[in-house]
Amino acid sequence: MLAGKHVLLVIGGGIAAFKALDLIRRLRERGCQVTPVMTNAAGEFVTPLSVSALAATKVYSDLFDLTDEAEMGHIELSRAADLIVVAPATADLMAKMANGLAGDLASTVLLATDKRVLIAPSMNVRMWDHPATQRNLKTLQSDGVLVVGPDEGDMACGEYGPGRMAEPLDIVAAIDHALSDGPLKGKHVLVTSGPTHEPIDPVRYIANRSSGSQGTAIANALVGLGADVTFVTGPADADDPVGAKIVRVETAADMLDAVTAALPADAAVFAAAVADWRVTSASDRKIKKDANGALPSLEFAENPDILATVSQMEKGRPELVIGFAAETNDVIANATSKRDRKGCDWIVANDVSPETGIMGGSENDVTLITADAAEDWPRAGKDAVAQQLAERIAATLS
Ligand code: CTP
């Protein structure tokens, strides 16, 4: 799988830089071309000569090296590879990437690239746990950066915990996965997920019990099949999917705007539990209790139906539009008429009555309703349901 591929390897300045030498060897053994870029700090841990000898090519390190610019400009360097791998990805490099800094060759290449980026973080456990690093990690994941590790264990600094760079063979596996040509390669799939929050005033809102876990599982499965995924999510409890572009929204109106902005897409999966109503005029101040005990009353307006809007687009409608139907009774009948009413291609129907434990739980029991049939899928984990759906999407789009 790796034979004939080209990886640009950015080596950061951390104690784990020595493992980058083994990583180069493992990649080359598999027929993968490696172009190394070293930060100045990396040169304190491994010598450019060792790196160059193992990679059997020149090492790039200086942004202002005129010879490099004549041979290969930093923009070209950032685009020539199939994948950029940062190993070790130090706290400093992650901070630079998350904030778009470009003060040296490594960070400039990372900012200029149009290729996918995989990072293998490596740092002291306190640096890893620091809110700044965790914030940067979230930002990078939202930008679609792939992450492998870090592992937990004894560290070179004498402490114990997460922060050790993933082992070279695990990084090779992650590279292999990132470069594999899944059936959805080149396809853009949009996924909505999570609940929406509709404000009543600055401190109160109307929401629902959706955890976002089914949406995350679907996005992960689609990424696994090679799709470019845009994940538009309300405030969800579930982890973010890995390798998707993440767009965070609060309200149904924001979600519609984000979905429209993310089009065109080859397919769209509407897994979000969008609030049907919003408070007509949310107060911009906290609503206070009335001194005489009068109760507040809320007036509602209907939210835009995002699934119906996209399903009925005259121009730019995705080839495949999939909705969900959360029902508590007459599941198949309600979901079938929902499919007709909204104009989507498929509806994934599920029974969200409290006794099923589905809303907020780890399993799902769905019926896929298409134009021709209602297929009952066996109750399974949300990951398995997501995988089955993603494979079905891949079979339909190809
Ligand atoms: N949906 C949407 N925008 C809305 C409401 C729902 O995009 N404003 C989408 C959901 O993401 C889901 C599908 O429509 O894919 C059905 O959602 P569901 O809550 O089951 O149906 P509703 O349209 O809300 O209808 P009802 O509440 O009457 O069952």
Side-chain angles (χ1 to χ4, degrees), residues 192 252 255 269-277 303-309 322-327 334 338 341-342 347-348:
T192 69
M255 188 172 271
V269 184
F270 293 89
V274 184
D276 290 323
W277 309 281
N303 269 331
D305 190 315
I306 306 165
L307 171 63
T309 306
I322 305 164
F324 273 69
E327 307 292 343
N334 280 337
K338 204 170 266 183
R341 204 168 58 243
K342 301 209 184 200
I347 280 265
V348 182

mmCIF file of all heavy atoms in Angstrom, residues 192 252 255 269-277 303-309 322-327 334 338 341-342 347-348, ligand 1:
data_model
loop_
_atom_site.group_PDB
_atom_site.id
_atom_site.type_symbol
_atom_site.label_atom_id
_atom_site.label_comp_id
_atom_site.label_asym_id
_atom_site.label_seq_id
_atom_site.Cartn_x
_atom_site.Cartn_y
_atom_site.Cartn_z
ATOM 1 N N THR A 192 -24.461 16.043 9.466
ATOM 2 C CA THR A 192 -24.863 16.898 10.594
ATOM 3 C C THR A 192 -25.032 15.994 11.813
ATOM 4 O O THR A 192 -25.348 14.818 11.685
ATOM 5 C CB THR A 192 -26.174 17.661 10.342
ATOM 6 O OG1 THR A 192 -27.273 16.736 10.308
ATOM 7 C CG2 THR A 192 -26.124 18.463 9.055
ATOM 8 N N ALA A 252 -30.364 25.879 15.087
ATOM 9 C CA ALA A 252 -30.771 25.308 13.798
ATOM 10 C C ALA A 252 -30.456 26.282 12.654
ATOM 11 O O ALA A 252 -30.010 25.865 11.577
ATOM 12 C CB ALA A 252 -32.265 25.001 13.822
ATOM 13 N N MET A 255 -26.957 26.043 11.848
ATOM 14 C CA MET A 255 -26.651 24.766 11.199
ATOM 15 C C MET A 255 -27.015 24.830 9.706
ATOM 16 O O MET A 255 -26.260 24.366 8.853
ATOM 17 C CB MET A 255 -27.391 23.617 11.894
ATOM 18 C CG MET A 255 -26.982 22.252 11.401
ATOM 19 S SD MET A 255 -27.690 20.893 12.368
ATOM 20 C CE MET A 255 -26.472 20.676 13.645
ATOM 21 N N VAL A 269 -25.593 13.357 5.068
ATOM 22 C CA VAL A 269 -26.266 12.532 6.067
ATOM 23 C C VAL A 269 -26.712 13.457 7.201
ATOM 24 O O VAL A 269 -25.880 14.077 7.861
ATOM 25 C CB VAL A 269 -25.310 11.456 6.644
ATOM 26 C CG1 VAL A 269 -26.059 10.538 7.604
ATOM 27 C CG2 VAL A 269 -24.645 10.650 5.537
ATOM 28 N N PHE A 270 -28.016 13.541 7.420
ATOM 29 C CA PHE A 270 -28.545 14.464 8.420
ATOM 30 C C PHE A 270 -28.881 13.694 9.696
ATOM 31 O O PHE A 270 -30.008 13.235 9.874
ATOM 32 C CB PHE A 270 -29.748 15.216 7.855
ATOM 33 C CG PHE A 270 -29.352 16.150 6.746
ATOM 34 C CD1 PHE A 270 -29.302 15.725 5.431
ATOM 35 C CD2 PHE A 270 -28.959 17.451 7.038
ATOM 36 C CE1 PHE A 270 -28.892 16.575 4.409
ATOM 37 C CE2 PHE A 270 -28.543 18.311 6.035
ATOM 38 C CZ PHE A 270 -28.507 17.868 4.712
ATOM 39 N N ALA A 271 -27.855 13.536 10.545
ATOM 40 C CA ALA A 271 -28.039 12.776 11.786
ATOM 41 C C ALA A 271 -28.333 13.686 12.968
ATOM 42 O O ALA A 271 -28.535 13.199 14.078
ATOM 43 C CB ALA A 271 -26.796 11.936 12.057
ATOM 44 N N ALA A 272 -28.338 14.996 12.756
ATOM 45 C CA ALA A 272 -28.565 15.913 13.885
ATOM 46 C C ALA A 272 -30.000 15.835 14.379
ATOM 47 O O ALA A 272 -30.921 15.597 13.601
ATOM 48 C CB ALA A 272 -28.249 17.345 13.451
ATOM 49 N N ALA A 273 -30.157 16.010 15.679
ATOM 50 C CA ALA A 273 -31.499 16.124 16.264
ATOM 51 C C ALA A 273 -31.775 17.622 16.390
ATOM 52 O O ALA A 273 -31.503 18.240 17.420
ATOM 53 C CB ALA A 273 -31.524 15.439 17.623
ATOM 54 N N VAL A 274 -32.239 18.176 15.289
ATOM 55 C CA VAL A 274 -32.432 19.634 15.221
ATOM 56 C C VAL A 274 -33.693 20.017 15.999
ATOM 57 O O VAL A 274 -34.729 19.356 15.856
ATOM 58 C CB VAL A 274 -32.592 20.069 13.745
ATOM 59 C CG1 VAL A 274 -32.690 21.582 13.638
ATOM 60 C CG2 VAL A 274 -31.441 19.539 12.897
ATOM 61 N N ALA A 275 -33.606 21.072 16.787
ATOM 62 C CA ALA A 275 -34.797 21.534 17.504
ATOM 63 C C ALA A 275 -35.824 22.023 16.483
ATOM 64 O O ALA A 275 -35.475 22.746 15.547
ATOM 65 C CB ALA A 275 -34.428 22.659 18.449
ATOM 66 N N ASP A 276 -37.058 21.604 16.656
ATOM 67 C CA ASP A 276 -38.086 21.996 15.687
ATOM 68 C C ASP A 276 -38.510 23.452 15.844
ATOM 69 O O ASP A 276 -38.955 24.075 14.895
ATOM 70 C CB ASP A 276 -39.318 21.092 15.849
ATOM 71 C CG ASP A 276 -39.035 19.677 15.375
ATOM 72 O OD1 ASP A 276 -38.306 19.540 14.379
ATOM 73 O OD2 ASP A 276 -39.510 18.726 16.013
ATOM 74 N N TRP A 277 -38.373 23.956 17.078
ATOM 75 C CA TRP A 277 -38.830 25.324 17.323
ATOM 76 C C TRP A 277 -37.746 26.139 18.005
ATOM 77 O O TRP A 277 -36.896 25.605 18.714
ATOM 78 C CB TRP A 277 -40.068 25.315 18.244
ATOM 79 C CG TRP A 277 -41.139 24.398 17.764
ATOM 80 C CD1 TRP A 277 -42.037 24.635 16.762
ATOM 81 C CD2 TRP A 277 -41.423 23.081 18.262
ATOM 82 N NE1 TRP A 277 -42.872 23.554 16.596
ATOM 83 C CE2 TRP A 277 -42.529 22.574 17.508
ATOM 84 C CE3 TRP A 277 -40.892 22.275 19.258
ATOM 85 C CZ2 TRP A 277 -43.071 21.313 17.725
ATOM 86 C CZ3 TRP A 277 -41.426 21.017 19.480
ATOM 87 C CH2 TRP A 277 -42.509 20.548 18.724
ATOM 88 N N ASN A 303 -38.401 26.274 13.266
ATOM 89 C CA ASN A 303 -37.051 26.357 12.697
ATOM 90 C C ASN A 303 -37.065 25.910 11.245
ATOM 91 O O ASN A 303 -37.942 25.143 10.834
ATOM 92 C CB ASN A 303 -36.099 25.446 13.490
ATOM 93 C CG ASN A 303 -35.442 26.201 14.631
ATOM 94 O OD1 ASN A 303 -35.248 27.408 14.547
ATOM 95 N ND2 ASN A 303 -35.101 25.492 15.688
ATOM 96 N N PRO A 304 -36.056 26.335 10.476
ATOM 97 C CA PRO A 304 -35.959 25.826 9.103
ATOM 98 C C PRO A 304 -35.695 24.325 9.137
ATOM 99 O O PRO A 304 -34.986 23.844 10.023
ATOM 100 C CB PRO A 304 -34.749 26.567 8.526
ATOM 101 C CG PRO A 304 -33.961 27.014 9.710
ATOM 102 C CD PRO A 304 -34.954 27.237 10.816
ATOM 103 N N ASP A 305 -36.269 23.590 8.216
ATOM 104 C CA ASP A 305 -36.000 22.151 8.123
ATOM 105 C C ASP A 305 -34.812 21.971 7.175
ATOM 106 O O ASP A 305 -34.929 22.151 5.961
ATOM 107 C CB ASP A 305 -37.234 21.403 7.607
ATOM 108 C CG ASP A 305 -37.054 19.905 7.735
ATOM 109 O OD1 ASP A 305 -35.962 19.405 7.385
ATOM 110 O OD2 ASP A 305 -37.991 19.231 8.195
ATOM 111 N N ILE A 306 -33.678 21.639 7.746
ATOM 112 C CA ILE A 306 -32.433 21.609 6.972
ATOM 113 C C ILE A 306 -32.458 20.455 5.967
ATOM 114 O O ILE A 306 -32.107 20.616 4.798
ATOM 115 C CB ILE A 306 -31.223 21.485 7.929
ATOM 116 C CG1 ILE A 306 -31.287 22.615 8.961
ATOM 117 C CG2 ILE A 306 -29.910 21.539 7.167
ATOM 118 C CD1 ILE A 306 -30.397 22.425 10.154
ATOM 119 N N LEU A 307 -32.896 19.299 6.437
ATOM 120 C CA LEU A 307 -32.972 18.123 5.553
ATOM 121 C C LEU A 307 -33.894 18.402 4.368
ATOM 122 O O LEU A 307 -33.537 18.138 3.212
ATOM 123 C CB LEU A 307 -33.475 16.911 6.356
ATOM 124 C CG LEU A 307 -33.814 15.657 5.566
ATOM 125 C CD1 LEU A 307 -32.588 15.100 4.860
ATOM 126 C CD2 LEU A 307 -34.410 14.592 6.492
ATOM 127 N N ALA A 308 -35.078 18.952 4.644
ATOM 128 C CA ALA A 308 -36.028 19.225 3.559
ATOM 129 C C ALA A 308 -35.464 20.282 2.614
ATOM 130 O O ALA A 308 -35.590 20.169 1.380
ATOM 131 C CB ALA A 308 -37.364 19.681 4.134
ATOM 132 N N THR A 309 -34.819 21.301 3.173
ATOM 133 C CA THR A 309 -34.265 22.370 2.328
ATOM 134 C C THR A 309 -33.255 21.796 1.341
ATOM 135 O O THR A 309 -33.303 22.090 0.137
ATOM 136 C CB THR A 309 -33.569 23.445 3.213
ATOM 137 O OG1 THR A 309 -34.499 23.884 4.186
ATOM 138 C CG2 THR A 309 -33.072 24.621 2.402
ATOM 139 N N ILE A 322 -29.599 11.682 2.896
ATOM 140 C CA ILE A 322 -30.073 10.699 3.874
ATOM 141 C C ILE A 322 -30.514 11.414 5.150
ATOM 142 O O ILE A 322 -29.768 12.205 5.721
ATOM 143 C CB ILE A 322 -28.947 9.700 4.218
ATOM 144 C CG1 ILE A 322 -28.422 9.044 2.928
ATOM 145 C CG2 ILE A 322 -29.423 8.648 5.209
ATOM 146 C CD1 ILE A 322 -27.091 8.346 3.099
ATOM 147 N N GLY A 323 -31.731 11.107 5.570
ATOM 148 C CA GLY A 323 -32.225 11.679 6.821
ATOM 149 C C GLY A 323 -32.375 10.610 7.890
ATOM 150 O O GLY A 323 -32.296 9.413 7.599
ATOM 151 N N PHE A 324 -32.596 11.029 9.088
ATOM 152 C CA PHE A 324 -32.913 10.121 10.187
ATOM 153 C C PHE A 324 -34.340 10.409 10.622
ATOM 154 O O PHE A 324 -34.822 11.532 10.459
ATOM 155 C CB PHE A 324 -31.959 10.333 11.365
ATOM 156 C CG PHE A 324 -30.699 9.523 11.257
ATOM 157 C CD1 PHE A 324 -29.760 9.817 10.280
ATOM 158 C CD2 PHE A 324 -30.465 8.456 12.110
ATOM 159 C CE1 PHE A 324 -28.603 9.058 10.148
ATOM 160 C CE2 PHE A 324 -29.313 7.691 11.991
ATOM 161 C CZ PHE A 324 -28.382 7.990 11.013
ATOM 162 N N ALA A 325 -35.004 9.410 11.152
ATOM 163 C CA ALA A 325 -36.326 9.666 11.721
ATOM 164 C C ALA A 325 -36.337 9.113 13.135
ATOM 165 O O ALA A 325 -36.190 7.908 13.337
ATOM 166 C CB ALA A 325 -37.406 8.999 10.882
ATOM 167 N N ALA A 326 -36.411 10.020 14.080
ATOM 168 C CA ALA A 326 -36.482 9.612 15.482
ATOM 169 C C ALA A 326 -37.957 9.547 15.840
ATOM 170 O O ALA A 326 -38.643 10.567 15.846
ATOM 171 C CB ALA A 326 -35.761 10.648 16.339
ATOM 172 N N GLU A 327 -38.449 8.336 16.084
ATOM 173 C CA GLU A 327 -39.886 8.177 16.337
ATOM 174 C C GLU A 327 -40.097 7.441 17.654
ATOM 175 O O GLU A 327 -39.224 6.687 18.098
ATOM 176 C CB GLU A 327 -40.538 7.349 15.213
ATOM 177 C CG GLU A 327 -40.276 7.855 13.799
ATOM 178 C CD GLU A 327 -40.955 9.182 13.503
ATOM 179 O OE1 GLU A 327 -41.887 9.564 14.246
ATOM 180 O OE2 GLU A 327 -40.554 9.856 12.545
ATOM 181 N N ASN A 334 -44.455 6.336 10.119
ATOM 182 C CA ASN A 334 -44.076 7.745 10.285
ATOM 183 C C ASN A 334 -42.835 8.081 9.471
ATOM 184 O O ASN A 334 -42.736 9.145 8.842
ATOM 185 C CB ASN A 334 -43.793 8.054 11.758
ATOM 186 C CG ASN A 334 -45.075 8.264 12.533
ATOM 187 O OD1 ASN A 334 -46.112 8.588 11.963
ATOM 188 N ND2 ASN A 334 -45.013 8.071 13.842
ATOM 189 N N LYS A 338 -42.311 10.588 6.375
ATOM 190 C CA LYS A 338 -41.302 11.655 6.548
ATOM 191 C C LYS A 338 -40.381 11.716 5.328
ATOM 192 O O LYS A 338 -40.015 12.783 4.852
ATOM 193 C CB LYS A 338 -40.480 11.354 7.810
ATOM 194 C CG LYS A 338 -39.837 12.555 8.443
ATOM 195 C CD LYS A 338 -39.252 12.220 9.821
ATOM 196 C CE LYS A 338 -40.231 12.516 10.946
ATOM 197 N NZ LYS A 338 -39.653 12.254 12.274
ATOM 198 N N ARG A 341 -42.334 13.352 2.553
ATOM 199 C CA ARG A 341 -42.585 14.770 2.833
ATOM 200 C C ARG A 341 -41.330 15.611 2.635
ATOM 201 O O ARG A 341 -41.363 16.687 2.058
ATOM 202 C CB ARG A 341 -43.071 14.873 4.278
ATOM 203 C CG ARG A 341 -43.888 16.094 4.571
ATOM 204 C CD ARG A 341 -44.582 16.024 5.922
ATOM 205 N NE ARG A 341 -43.681 15.855 7.052
ATOM 206 C CZ ARG A 341 -43.681 14.804 7.861
ATOM 207 N NH1 ARG A 341 -44.524 13.809 7.660
ATOM 208 N NH2 ARG A 341 -42.855 14.748 8.878
ATOM 209 N N LYS A 342 -40.191 15.080 3.104
ATOM 210 C CA LYS A 342 -38.969 15.892 3.057
ATOM 211 C C LYS A 342 -38.264 15.792 1.709
ATOM 212 O O LYS A 342 -37.495 16.667 1.337
ATOM 213 C CB LYS A 342 -38.022 15.464 4.180
ATOM 214 C CG LYS A 342 -38.667 15.618 5.561
ATOM 215 C CD LYS A 342 -37.656 15.890 6.636
ATOM 216 C CE LYS A 342 -38.335 15.947 7.994
ATOM 217 N NZ LYS A 342 -37.542 16.646 8.992
ATOM 218 N N ILE A 347 -34.220 7.200 4.476
ATOM 219 C CA ILE A 347 -34.429 7.592 5.878
ATOM 220 C C ILE A 347 -33.954 6.435 6.752
ATOM 221 O O ILE A 347 -34.296 5.276 6.509
ATOM 222 C CB ILE A 347 -35.922 7.869 6.178
ATOM 223 C CG1 ILE A 347 -36.359 9.253 5.707
ATOM 224 C CG2 ILE A 347 -36.216 7.689 7.655
ATOM 225 C CD1 ILE A 347 -36.332 10.372 6.740
ATOM 226 N N VAL A 348 -33.135 6.766 7.723
ATOM 227 C CA VAL A 348 -32.724 5.777 8.718
ATOM 228 C C VAL A 348 -33.675 5.980 9.903
ATOM 229 O O VAL A 348 -33.606 7.002 10.578
ATOM 230 C CB VAL A 348 -31.262 6.000 9.156
ATOM 231 C CG1 VAL A 348 -30.840 4.939 10.158
ATOM 232 C CG2 VAL A 348 -30.336 6.010 7.951
HETATM 233 N N1 CTP B 1 -34.163 17.759 10.488
HETATM 234 C C1 CTP B 1 -33.553 18.875 9.950
HETATM 235 N N2 CTP B 1 -33.995 20.113 10.311
HETATM 236 C C2 CTP B 1 -34.999 20.251 11.187
HETATM 237 C C3 CTP B 1 -35.622 19.118 11.750
HETATM 238 C C4 CTP B 1 -35.156 17.874 11.384
HETATM 239 O O1 CTP B 1 -32.623 18.744 9.149
HETATM 240 N N3 CTP B 1 -35.401 21.475 11.517
HETATM 241 C C5 CTP B 1 -33.701 16.447 10.029
HETATM 242 C C6 CTP B 1 -33.025 15.583 11.089
HETATM 243 O O2 CTP B 1 -31.631 15.782 11.076
HETATM 244 C C7 CTP B 1 -33.407 14.187 10.640
HETATM 245 C C8 CTP B 1 -34.755 14.374 10.001
HETATM 246 O O3 CTP B 1 -34.862 15.749 9.672
HETATM 247 O O4 CTP B 1 -32.536 13.718 9.639
HETATM 248 C C9 CTP B 1 -35.945 13.988 10.823
HETATM 249 O O5 CTP B 1 -35.864 14.531 12.105
HETATM 250 P P1 CTP B 1 -37.002 14.198 13.162
HETATM 251 O O6 CTP B 1 -36.706 14.941 14.418
HETATM 252 O O7 CTP B 1 -37.219 12.722 13.241
HETATM 253 O O8 CTP B 1 -38.270 14.758 12.429
HETATM 254 P P2 CTP B 1 -38.947 16.133 12.409
HETATM 255 O O9 CTP B 1 -38.791 16.723 11.076
HETATM 256 O O10 CTP B 1 -38.473 16.947 13.545
HETATM 257 O O11 CTP B 1 -40.462 15.714 12.558
HETATM 258 P P3 CTP B 1 -41.296 15.325 13.869
HETATM 259 O O12 CTP B 1 -40.657 16.042 15.012
HETATM 260 O O13 CTP B 1 -42.656 15.780 13.546
HETATM 261 O O14 CTP B 1 -41.214 13.825 14.000
#
